[in-house]
């Protein structure tokens, strides 16, 4: 079993009632960086994006992953698909089941997505982009949105699961696909390469700062709540629509964590790595109530966009490299087999004691990834708990919470 947490003696626990077994871990005090995060989150809503669209700004659904620098360089706001189930997700799911006749046991993410798109029609944000290498059900279901006058753009399926598959002709094919995006979004206007370079460099800068923060978090694991960290990471793709403020926030947080890391943590905690997005607010809270500290997030990639090739090639290399590293998830067409290596490396690097792996109920991709990881980690003697969830904001089932608590008791 892996170690790493500083375990308090029973004497210390007895003396401090706030730290006795079963009490929530006391998290870091309010920090200026987290206050700014809260402000940025409140100011970044779909309503605000809709106002910009009404003023003439372009926006599309999707395009917020590896291709985001290109979308921004085309003066377009990419919107995360997750915005489609942020509210009234049950209503959207009912539309998917009743109107589109999607079976109830199907993945709730897909149902909420197509149901919400239908409810929004006629939608002022009527362009949708997706990668053909992502999960097959999503590709099929998004086709249904055409009937509601959505303009769908599919980046043709391109994969390179081994480095030798990343041949020049594969890169050239993907570059052509990216050029088609420019044509689609810019309506014939050529790509502004300088703008694209600026976006790529900004993304690299943000990635580098996020990595610094996550490294510091291993030394100051209780400074941020698990939920705050998840929110911070989600901002690394859209910057909450305010890149300069987001980057300043990251700098502020690096300063705060650098100071916090100088004092060894003496509160009791159990370090774990999380994969598959964490499982929502209720699950993240249950982790904290069980004295868990997430010291590694598999959601974060480990690479930068290359600066030694033309910018569209740089984007092509980035996604194909991610596929063969098991990073960026199914949206980037990543192989189900490789994430386990990333998990193991992160557990070794952070001295986590186990993995919390969550996926969406009914997701064929997620269930295969979890099965592969379970077998792999169990062979290595690394504990793993696999959780399933849906996209709704409902509190987690009591059984899920009990399983999480039992997992942490086992790790204690
Ligand atoms: S959760 Fe799984 S099935 Fe659902 S959209 Fe994502 S990858 Fe596809």
């Amino acid at each position: 079993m892996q170690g790493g947490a500083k375990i308090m003696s029973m004497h210390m626990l007895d003396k401090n009632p706030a730290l006795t077994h079963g009490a929530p871990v006391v998290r870091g005090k309010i920090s200026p960086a987290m206050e700014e995060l809260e402000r940025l989150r409140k100011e970044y809503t779909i309503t605000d994006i809709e106002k910009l669209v009404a003023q003439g700004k372009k926006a599309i659904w999707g395009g917020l992953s590896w291709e985001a620098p290109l979308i921004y360089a085309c003066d377009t706001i990419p919107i995360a698909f997750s915005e489609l189930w942020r509210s009234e997700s049950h209503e959207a799911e009912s539309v998917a089941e009743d109107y589109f006749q999607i079976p109830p046991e199907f993945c709730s993410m897909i149902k909420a997505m197509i149901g919400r798109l239908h409810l929004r029609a006629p939608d002022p944000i009527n362009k949708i982009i997706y990668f053909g290498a992502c999960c097959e059900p999503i590709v099929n279901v998004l086709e249904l949105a055409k009937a509601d006058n959505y303009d769908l753009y599919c980046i043709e399926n391109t994969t390179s699961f081994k480095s030798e598959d990343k041949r020049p002709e594969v890169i050239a094919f993907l570059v052509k696909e990216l050029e088609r995006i420019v044509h689609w979004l810019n309506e014939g206007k050529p790509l502004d390469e300088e703008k694209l370079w600026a976006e790529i460099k900004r993304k690299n800068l943000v990635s580098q700062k996020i990595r610094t923060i996550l490294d510091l978090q291993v030394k100051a694991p209780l400074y941020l709540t698990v939920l705050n960290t998840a929110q911070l990471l989600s901002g690394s793709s859209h910057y909450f629509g305010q890149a300069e403020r987001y980057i300043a926030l990251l700098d502020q947080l690096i300063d705060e964590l650098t100071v916090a890391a100088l004092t060894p943590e003496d509160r009791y905690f159990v370090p774990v790595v999380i994969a598959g997005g964490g499982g929502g607010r209720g699950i993240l809270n249950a982790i904290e109530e069980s004295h868990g500290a997430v010291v590694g997030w598999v959601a974060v990639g480990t690479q930068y966009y290359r600066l030694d090739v033309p910018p569209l090639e740089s984007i092509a290399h980035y996604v194909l490299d991610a596929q063969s590293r098991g990073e960026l998830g199914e949206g980037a067409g990543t192989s189900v087999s490789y994430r386990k290596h990333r998990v193991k490396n992160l557990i070794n690097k952070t001295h986590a004691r186990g993995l919390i792996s969550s996926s969406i109920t009914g997701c064929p991709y997620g269930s295969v990834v979890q099965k592969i990881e379970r077998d792999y980690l169990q062979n290595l003697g690394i504990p793993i708990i696999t959780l399933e969830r849906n996209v709704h904001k409902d509190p987690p089932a009591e059984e899920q919470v009990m399983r999480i608590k039992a997992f942490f008791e086992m790790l204690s």
Side-chain angles (χ1 to χ4, degrees):
M1 188 176 288
Q2 312 273 316
K6 185 166 181 175
I7 310 293
M8 297 180 77
S9 68
M10 285 311 293
H11 173 72
M12 290 165 81
L13 285 171
D14 288 341
K15 288 243 162 150
N16 188 342
L19 298 173
T20 49
H21 188 71
V25 173
V26 181
R27 295 278 154 169
K29 53 188 175 295
I30 292 290
S31 77
M34 288 305 97
E35 287 175 328
E36 172 70 343
L37 176 66
E38 192 57 21
R39 282 190 291 272
L40 279 174
R41 285 186 55 245
K42 284 194 176 137
E43 292 166 22
Y44 181 71
T45 66
I46 189 68
T47 313
D48 294 308
I49 295 174
E50 282 168 340
K51 280 184 197 151
L52 292 173
V53 170
Q55 292 161 17
K57 182 84 186 169
K58 291 180 286 183
I60 56 170
W61 293 109
L64 204 50
S65 177
W66 54 275
E67 68 282 63
L70 179 60
I71 309 296
Y72 284 121
C74 293
D75 286 324
T76 303
I77 304 171
I79 308 170
F81 283 124
S82 56
E83 291 300 324
L84 292 169
W85 57 85
R86 186 173 295 283
S87 63
E88 297 172 50
S89 56
H90 284 292
E91 192 187 350
E93 190 172 22
S94 298
V95 170
E97 291 177 9
D98 300 340
Y99 180 78
F100 289 109
Q101 296 289 298
I102 297 179
E105 61 275 16
F106 220 64
C107 146
S108 57
M109 187 178 283
I110 285 181
K111 285 190 288 179
M113 198 183 280
I114 191 64
R116 169 68 52 213
L117 287 169
H118 180 67
L119 286 170
R120 288 181 59 90
D123 190 346
I125 304 167
N126 78 331
K127 283 184 186 297
I128 302 172
I129 192 167
Y130 63 96
F131 190 19
C134 74
C135 90
E136 216 175 298
I138 218 171
V139 174
N140 295 335
V141 168
L142 279 177
E143 282 292 310
L144 299 173
K146 281 183 180 165
D148 282 320
N149 288 324
Y150 283 96
D151 178 10
L152 257 65
Y153 185 95
C154 174
I155 307 167
E156 286 301 328
N157 186 348
T158 319
T159 49
S160 145
F161 295 144
K162 295 190 205 114
S163 50
E164 58 265 32
D165 293 340
K166 206 180 71 172
R167 298 184 304 277
E169 55 273 29
V170 176
I171 294 287
F173 176 80
L174 196 42
V175 166
K176 280 263 170 273
E177 285 300 291
L178 298 175
E179 284 168 352
R180 281 205 307 127
I181 296 178
V182 176
H183 189 73
W184 181 61
L185 289 177
N186 276 2
E187 290 157 2
K189 225 173 70 195
L191 170 68
D192 183 337
E193 281 209 5
E194 257 180 51
K195 207 179 246 179
L196 180 54
W197 271 131
E199 291 295 340
I200 285 174
K201 287 176 185 166
R202 183 164 70 178
K203 181 66 190 175
N204 278 352
L205 180 71
V206 165
S207 299
Q208 178 240 315
K209 289 180 190 298
I210 290 283
R211 261 169 244 170
T212 304
I213 286 169
L214 293 178
D215 285 346
L216 283 165
Q217 255 199 309
V218 178
K219 295 181 196 145
L222 300 184
Y223 190 77
L224 298 179
T225 64
V226 184
L227 187 60
N228 278 160
T229 312
Q231 291 163 341
L232 190 78
L233 297 182
S234 83
S236 67
S237 55
H238 50 60
Y239 318 131
F240 300 99
Q242 304 201 51
E244 300 314 316
R245 277 178 64 189
Y246 179 70
I247 290 169
L249 177 167
L250 297 181
D251 285 334
Q252 167 72 32
L253 185 56
I254 288 170
D255 289 347
E256 291 176 24
L257 280 167
T258 303
V259 173
L262 293 174
T263 311
E265 183 56 66
D266 62 1
R267 289 168 285 177
Y268 174 68
F269 69 96
V270 180
V272 289
V273 163
I274 217 163
R281 186 180 288 255
I283 298 283
L284 298 180
N285 286 342
I287 292 171
E288 288 191 349
E289 283 167 13
S290 307
H291 301 274
V294 179
V295 290
W297 297 76
V298 175
V300 180
T302 57
Q303 52 171 354
Y304 296 103
Y305 289 88
R306 287 175 58 172
L307 302 179
D308 60 339
V309 291
L312 291 179
E313 273 187 42
S314 172
I315 295 176
H317 279 285
Y318 184 85
V319 64
L320 296 177
D321 287 343
Q323 289 174 349
S324 59
R325 288 170 187 239
E327 296 178 354
L328 302 187
E330 77 289 348
T334 296
S335 160
V336 286
S337 318
Y338 297 149
R339 196 178 78 177
K340 63 179 187 289
H341 300 301
R342 170 92 177 105
V343 167
K344 188 191 81 178
N345 292 342
L346 205 46
I347 286 176
N348 288 342
K349 179 181 167 192
T350 60
H351 303 292
R353 293 196 204 164
L355 174 72
I356 297 176
S357 168
S358 78
S359 78
I360 300 287
T361 307
C363 170
Y365 180 92
S367 57
V368 173
V369 171
Q370 285 186 325
K371 163 88 176 83
I372 290 172
E373 279 172 358
R374 195 183 304 115
D375 293 348
Y376 182 70
L377 295 185
Q378 279 175 351
N379 272 339
L380 294 171
I382 298 173
I384 169 172
I385 180 172
T386 54
L387 304 172
E388 284 196 352
R389 66 185 202 277
N390 55 41
V391 296
H392 306 301
K393 295 255 173 331
D394 311 339
E398 189 57 27
E399 182 245 335
Q400 293 264 45
V401 175
M402 298 301 290
R403 285 188 63 221
I404 291 166
K405 291 191 170 161
F407 182 66
F408 277 99
E409 267 176 30
M410 191 258 293
L411 294 180
S412 296

